[in-house]
């Protein structure tokens, strides 16, 4: 039986309230030269594609700061090994089942696993995650970062709210107490596609478009209120086609194999997230509403335009050096086309 959204929302709100005072980030007084951080646990017990991709800048930050370290990830679901396939510092991925009560022994085994290992540093990657705070408290480690959301940073750091960035800012502030230097630039999301995957993605793309003309890729699906209507997408596609006559426009289909454009334009379908990412990586521009595949495009290194109307773009906007978001309730299609022109230039 599917649990109603209202009950889930109440459950999450209650758990946050119950766990908000669990643990407090802080260092014991130790000599700086005595600090050795080799074994690290990053906790993000969530199964959603977008949230697991948004974790990748933090994983890179930890790897860059402690290049000889081994990192365990505490997550949910089965896709994390695919996302972090080419991350060399990852040691173990502890995967809780997506539905705990359907596999209670595996669920309990995951919690036992983090308790049975000894870490030098544990990081809760999301301040709103009650299970993240509990797992950070439960794990054995000298140093623990519980992921507090520090309001004072909102005035000092204009992008502190972003889900991929605030855990890095928190970690840097935390480690500064030990004299550990930070890097000047924050890492971007990164799927770390290899050359063979990129080449395979190019082959898949060429099988659809047949030539080397630049390609704009659309993803027309999203969940709930984030999903735009068929009429909206048809109108948007018409403007896009008129504005960029020298570009191919293709559609990447979701796992449900549906299309808000009714399959009227060239399209590609895959259920393999790395194959999808490699396909996107060979395009010049990706456009989608706020969803996991939008973040997949960002992690593939392609200029990504996020269409927002419900969720907060300051928290969930696409994140790489060439990406941006637009609020479609406050921006006309004509203005969006102007922004796309500048991006493609």
């Amino acid at each position: 039986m599917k649990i109603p959204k209202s009950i889930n929302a109440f459950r999450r709100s209650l758990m946050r309230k119950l766990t908000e005072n669990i643990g407090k980030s802080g260092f014991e007084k130790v000599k700086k030269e005595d600090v050795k951080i080799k074994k690290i646990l990053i906790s993000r017990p969530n199964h959603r594609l977008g949230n697991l991709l948004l974790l990748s800048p933090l994983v890179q930050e930890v790897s860059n700061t402690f290049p000889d370290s081994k990192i365990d990830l505490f997550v949910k679901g089965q896709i994390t090994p695919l996302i972090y396939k080419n991350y060399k510092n990852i040691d173990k991925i502890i995967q809780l089942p997506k539905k705990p009560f359907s596999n209670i022994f595996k669920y309990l085994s995951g919690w036992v696993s983090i308790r049975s290992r000894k870490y030098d540093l544990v990081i809760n990657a999301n301040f709103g995650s009650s299970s993240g705070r509990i797992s950070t408290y439960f794990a054995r480690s000298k140093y623990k970062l519980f992921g507090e959301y520090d309001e004072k940073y909102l005035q000092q750091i204009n992008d502190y709210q972003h889900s991929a960035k605030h855990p890095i800012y928190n970690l840097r502030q935390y480690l500064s107490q030990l004299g550990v230097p930070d890097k000047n630039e924050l890492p971007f999301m990164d799927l770390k596609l290899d050359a063979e995957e990129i080449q395979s993605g190019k082959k898949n793309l060429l099988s659809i478009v047949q030539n080397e003309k630049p390609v704009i890729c659309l993803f027309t699906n999203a969940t709930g209120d984030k999903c735009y209507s068929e009429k909206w997408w048809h109108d948007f596609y018409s403007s896009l086609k008129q504005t960029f006559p020298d570009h191919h426009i293709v559609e990447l289909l979701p796992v449900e194999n549906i299309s808000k454009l009714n399959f009227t334009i060239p399209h590609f379908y895959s259920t393999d997230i790395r194959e999808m990412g490699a396909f996107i990586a060979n395009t010049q521009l990706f456009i989608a509403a706020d969803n996991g595949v939008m973040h997949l495009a960002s992690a593939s290194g392609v200029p990504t335009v996020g269409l927002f109307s419900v969720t907060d773009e300051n928290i969930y906007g696409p994140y790489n050096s060439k990406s941006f978001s637009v609020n479609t309730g406050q921006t006309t299609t004509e203005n969006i086309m102007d922004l796309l022109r500048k991006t493609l230039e």
Side-chain angles (χ1 to χ4, degrees):
M1 183 179 69
K2 189 175 181 180
I3 300 174
K5 289 184 179 179
S6 58
I7 294 179
N8 267 328
F10 174 76
R11 176 186 60 80
R12 286 193 293 268
S13 176
L14 178 62
M15 286 302 295
R16 288 193 191 104
K17 190 67 178 175
L18 292 173
T19 60
E20 63 183 359
N21 293 319
I22 289 180
K24 182 179 179 182
S25 300
F27 281 116
E28 299 174 12
K29 291 183 178 180
V30 295
K31 294 181 180 180
K32 292 182 181 180
E33 59 268 23
D34 291 339
V35 177
K36 293 182 177 63
I37 296 178
K38 296 286 188 180
K39 190 67 181 172
I40 300 162
L41 175 69
I42 299 177
S43 180
R44 187 64 171 104
N46 189 281
H47 69 276
R48 294 186 180 278
L49 173 63
N51 288 331
L52 293 171
L53 287 164
L54 286 163
L55 186 65
S56 63
L58 176 62
V59 176
Q60 292 173 79
E61 175 77 7
V62 171
S63 299
N64 293 340
T65 305
F66 306 106
D68 297 324
S69 66
K70 295 294 182 182
I71 302 168
D72 287 356
L73 300 180
F74 186 58
V75 295
K76 270 188 181 181
Q78 300 299 314
I79 63 172
T80 308
L82 289 173
I83 295 173
Y84 293 97
K85 171 186 171 184
N86 291 330
Y87 277 72
K88 304 304 181 186
N89 289 68
I90 298 294
D91 187 23
K92 184 174 182 181
I93 298 176
I94 304 163
Q95 302 172 86
L96 298 177
K98 183 178 175 182
K99 296 180 179 179
F101 297 109
S102 298
N103 199 335
I104 190 66
F105 292 108
K106 186 175 181 181
Y107 180 77
L108 293 175
S109 175
W111 285 90
V112 169
S113 182
I114 65 169
R115 183 65 183 175
S116 64
R117 309 190 100 189
K118 182 71 170 65
Y119 296 101
D120 300 311
L121 173 65
V122 177
I123 304 168
N124 173 31
N126 185 272
F127 71 93
S129 172
S130 55
S131 53
R133 294 185 71 84
I134 292 171
S135 60
T136 302
Y137 181 81
F138 189 63
R140 294 191 300 145
S141 179
K142 188 171 187 178
Y143 305 126
K144 297 183 178 184
L145 179 56
F146 284 88
E148 294 94 340
Y149 190 79
D150 200 327
E151 296 286 344
K152 73 173 181 287
Y153 289 129
L154 290 174
Q155 307 300 321
Q156 303 171 13
I157 307 170
N158 60 10
D159 56 356
Y160 179 73
Q161 287 178 281
H162 197 278
S163 184
K165 303 178 187 180
H166 79 254
I168 298 177
Y169 287 126
N170 285 351
L171 177 63
R172 289 183 176 187
Q173 191 278 332
Y174 185 68
L175 293 178
S176 70
Q177 299 176 58
L178 290 181
V180 178
D182 62 53
K183 311 299 177 183
N184 292 324
E185 296 182 2
L186 271 66
F188 293 119
M189 298 172 66
D190 195 352
L191 192 60
K192 292 192 181 295
L193 294 163
D194 58 43
E196 185 177 344
E197 289 173 319
I198 296 290
Q199 187 60 35
S200 178
K202 183 176 182 179
K203 182 178 178 181
N204 285 330
L205 182 61
L206 286 174
S207 71
I208 295 172
V209 299
Q210 302 295 319
N211 60 44
E212 299 281 352
K213 281 172 58 176
V215 178
I216 298 172
C217 186
L218 307 178
F219 186 81
T220 63
N221 196 43
T223 57
D225 295 339
K226 295 187 290 184
C227 192
Y228 292 84
S229 68
E230 287 188 5
K231 182 182 185 307
W232 190 94
W233 276 111
H234 277 283
D235 291 345
F236 184 83
Y237 169 69
S238 295
S239 296
L240 197 64
K241 187 177 180 181
Q242 184 177 355
T243 306
F244 301 100
D246 296 327
H247 286 67
H248 290 297
I249 303 175
V250 303
E251 183 178 6
L252 178 66
L253 300 176
V255 66
E256 298 87 354
N257 200 19
I258 57 178
S259 168
K260 293 296 181 181
L261 293 170
N262 304 117
F263 304 96
T264 56
I265 68 172
H267 48 268
F268 177 71
Y269 177 78
S270 174
T271 58
D272 185 322
I273 60 171
R274 297 195 72 84
E275 186 176 46
M276 293 165 66
F279 178 87
I280 296 168
N282 284 278
T283 66
Q284 278 63 56
L285 183 68
F286 187 87
I287 305 171
D290 174 25
N291 61 71
V293 179
M294 177 195 75
H295 294 302
L296 181 65
S298 286
S300 301
V302 169
T304 302
V305 181
L307 307 171
F308 283 73
S309 60
V310 178
T311 46
D312 190 340
E313 58 195 293
N314 293 315
I315 299 175
Y316 298 112
Y319 176 44
N320 64 33
S321 62
K322 309 163 189 175
S323 296
F324 63 92
S325 59
V326 293
N327 187 316
T328 55
Q330 302 173 6
T331 309
T332 65
T333 299
E334 186 178 68
N335 287 339
I336 295 175
M337 295 301 144
D338 288 338
L339 292 171
L340 298 183
R341 283 193 197 95
K342 293 176 183 177
T343 300
L344 287 171
E345 286 174 358

